[in-house]
Amino acid sequence: MDAPKGFHYWPRLIDARLEHYMRNFPAVLLRGPKWCGKSTSAANLAKSEIRLEPYSTSAEFKSLSTASLKECLRGERPRLIDEWQVAPRLWDIIRDEADTTGMIGAYVLTGSSSPKKGSTSHTGFLRIASLEMTSMSLFESRESSGTVSLSSLFEHPEKPVSGAGLLDEKGIDRAMVRGGFPGLVSRPGLDAALYLEDAVKEISEREIQKASGASLSPTTALALLRSLARNNCANVKNVTLLNDVLLSGIPFSEASLYRYYEALRSLYIIDEVRGFSPLARSRSSSRVLPKRLFFDPSLALAVLGRDGFYLERDRRTRGFCFENLVYRDLKAYSPLLSGISYYRDREGVEVDFVVSLRDGRYGCIEVKSSPDFIEEGAASLNAFRRKIARRVEKYGVSSKEFLPTFLAIVIDRGNAYSREDGIHVIPLSALAP
């Protein structure tokens, strides 16, 4: 399948993992927020395709027989089935075909919303693997020098870091407002805020309806999005979100909150970061509220109707948006990681993000939106290190399994360096997988 004339494909970090999964599973589902590049990445791998979005409102298409739907699967393989959730029965057809033929790497499915509960008969276990894609990180958009590798922090934590970030303060602001959506990254002359505000309108008026399968109010959806944007990267309680919408003069109930919130999560607009505990079997991580944030900080700013000039004046909002930006980039590096969490305890010890590997190693990252707050970040990380060291001494567990592999502060600009206390200071635009 040839790319359109004049088309330039921007390689994505998930490409190698997608190819690896295609060599091991009959089919792979590539999911993630709309406009993040799923279809383009899948099409770059596929040899034929069918795009189902044009048929999404067609009653005739939805009433097709199983035999007719199988015609959608005919074509050279791997075959891309784009926006597969338009015809959820395809999931069961592919799953059954995998059982009867023993095929490998036959289909790659993409979707910008999770399937509605009960829309498929089977889970796809061992037949259809799932990969989550993010919008582009600064490393993918070539706005990071990549001089500090996240993997090297795990493999050589004692090695000093160095190198300059590519972006200054205004550059980071532009990256937060524009976001990591390929269509905006590749066309820098566009007014990104204009496009993203239109995207928010599309989400609240159309996408949330399709994702939920219910007639949800655009006004209510927008009110909830505004509350989530105001509480971005916070451990906000459901009652706070509920009261925010009610204060807008909109009738709202706890059941309605769940319905709207789950629809936004199924669209990959909102994400959650869970609590962390060094011990996998500990229940302490389940006792803290999740940190709620957006898949891309540009969506939060678009919901609030704010731009880079506003961020220059409202430093608090900028700080939370920068934390969201750091999370987005860490998640883009997820093939390296087994999870991203955060730490907070009753004694007030906090760590913004904890990145973990499957072998139990983990690193702690504090996010500071200015070099002026480096000492504050170091104090938090050292407090965490002291607390964990006390637990090691108290319970006699292996320090290698319990202590963090590295401690780092991610800042918005400047140069990377390692402090005398072993904490690495890294500009986000110098970080790489």
Side-chain angles (χ1 to χ4, degrees):
M1 181 184 62
D2 295 328
K5 189 176 181 179
F7 174 80
H8 173 69
Y9 179 67
W10 288 59
R12 304 296 297 273
L13 292 172
I14 205 167
D15 290 347
R17 199 175 192 204
L18 177 58
E19 289 183 18
H20 180 68
Y21 271 52
M22 290 295 286
R23 290 194 297 269
N24 288 276
F25 291 91
V28 178
L29 168 61
L30 191 58
R31 54 194 176 90
K34 206 171 182 70
W35 315 293
C36 76
K38 301 180 301 298
S39 301
T40 306
S41 288
N44 190 58
L45 174 71
K47 293 182 179 178
S48 70
E49 65 179 56
I50 181 171
R51 303 195 177 236
L52 300 184
E53 184 66 25
Y55 307 107
S56 60
T57 57
S58 169
E60 182 181 353
F61 179 79
K62 292 179 179 179
S63 64
L64 286 178
S65 66
T66 297
S68 297
L69 281 175
K70 285 184 178 180
E71 292 298 314
C72 295
L73 304 181
R74 292 188 181 275
E76 192 174 2
R77 299 176 176 177
R79 182 163 174 79
L80 164 61
I81 314 296
D82 188 48
E83 298 296 346
W84 73 274
Q85 73 277 1
V86 169
R89 280 185 292 158
L90 285 172
W91 180 279
D92 294 327
I93 294 171
I94 290 172
R95 188 258 192 192
D96 291 342
E97 185 179 329
D99 284 346
T100 57
T101 67
M103 62 187 187
I104 292 294
Y107 303 106
V108 53
L109 293 74
T110 64
S112 51
S113 65
S114 300
K116 290 183 281 292
K117 189 176 182 180
S119 62
T120 63
S121 301
H122 306 288
T123 63
F125 179 64
L126 294 181
R127 287 87 164 181
I128 306 175
S130 181
L131 279 176
E132 189 171 278
M133 190 172 184
T134 68
S135 51
M136 295 177 81
S137 64
L138 295 183
F139 183 75
E140 291 172 295
S141 61
R142 302 168 191 171
E143 294 168 289
S144 171
S145 62
T147 56
V148 182
S149 163
L150 189 60
S151 59
S152 69
L153 292 178
F154 277 108
E155 299 305 321
H156 309 287
E158 304 299 327
K159 184 179 178 180
V161 300
S162 62
L166 287 187
L167 299 182
D168 59 12
E169 184 175 359
K170 289 185 180 296
I172 287 291
D173 289 350
R174 284 193 297 271
M176 289 191 288
V177 172
R178 181 207 62 209
F181 299 101
L184 300 178
V185 170
S186 60
R187 299 170 66 186
L190 292 179
D191 185 343
L194 186 67
Y195 276 77
L196 288 162
E197 285 174 12
D198 188 66
V200 169
K201 185 178 180 182
E202 179 80 9
I203 290 164
S204 59
E205 292 184 357
R206 295 181 184 87
E207 295 298 325
I208 197 170
Q209 320 282 342
K210 291 190 287 185
S212 65
S215 181
L216 300 185
S217 163
T219 304
T220 305
L222 191 55
L224 178 57
L225 279 168
R226 285 175 179 150
S227 179
L228 288 163
R230 286 193 298 269
N231 292 284
N232 193 14
C233 291
N235 308 92
V236 59
K237 296 180 179 179
N238 286 343
V239 67
T240 301
L241 300 174
L242 181 64
N243 289 336
D244 278 355
V245 177
L246 289 171
L247 286 172
S248 301
I250 300 171
F252 206 49
S253 65
E254 190 171 349
S256 296
L257 171 63
Y258 177 81
R259 190 161 57 248
Y260 280 81
Y261 183 78
E262 286 307 308
L264 291 173
R265 284 201 70 192
S266 74
L267 285 168
Y268 306 101
I269 304 301
I270 300 299
D271 203 359
E272 294 183 348
V273 181
R274 300 290 174 173
F276 168 79
S277 173
L279 292 180
R281 296 178 61 192
S282 172
R283 290 178 293 180
S284 62
S285 59
S286 63
R287 295 176 185 149
V288 295
L289 289 171
K291 184 186 292 188
R292 306 183 205 245
L293 32 62
F294 284 71
F295 265 81
D296 195 286
S298 63
L299 292 173
L301 287 167
V303 167
L304 296 173
R306 302 303 185 191
D307 60 15
F309 294 107
Y310 176 82
L311 292 177
E312 291 178 10
R313 298 191 301 273
D314 187 345
R315 309 305 288 181
R316 182 173 174 79
T317 295
R318 184 182 187 273
F320 286 120
C321 285
F322 181 64
E323 183 175 338
N324 200 158
L325 184 70
V326 172
Y327 172 75
R328 182 204 70 185
D329 281 17
L330 290 175
K331 190 154 189 176
Y333 307 152
S334 61
L336 170 71
L337 309 171
S338 69
I340 305 173
S341 51
Y342 82 100
Y343 182 85
R344 174 176 295 171
D345 62 26
R346 297 174 182 175
E347 298 173 14
V349 177
E350 299 184 32
V351 175
D352 289 327
F353 295 117
V354 180
V355 290
S356 306
L357 301 184
R358 295 188 183 280
D359 62 10
R361 287 179 293 165
Y362 68 96
C364 298
I365 295 176
E366 272 289 288
V367 179
K368 295 302 172 187
S369 59
S370 167
D372 296 338
F373 305 124
I374 288 174
E375 291 301 327
E376 181 182 309
S380 295
L381 292 173
N382 281 319
F384 176 83
R385 179 161 50 188
R386 287 193 298 270
K387 181 160 191 174
I388 298 301
R390 287 197 297 271
R391 288 187 182 179
V392 168
E393 183 178 353
K394 180 177 180 180
Y395 297 111
V397 296
S398 169
S399 61
K400 288 185 178 181
E401 296 175 359
F402 214 62
L403 291 171
T405 302
F406 71 86
L407 303 175
I409 303 168
V410 174
I411 55 175
D412 67 336
R413 60 191 186 274
N415 297 309
Y417 65 94
S418 299
R419 293 163 46 101
E420 290 185 1
D421 56 8
I423 296 174
H424 306 298
V425 178
I426 310 163
L428 181 60
S429 61
L431 194 61

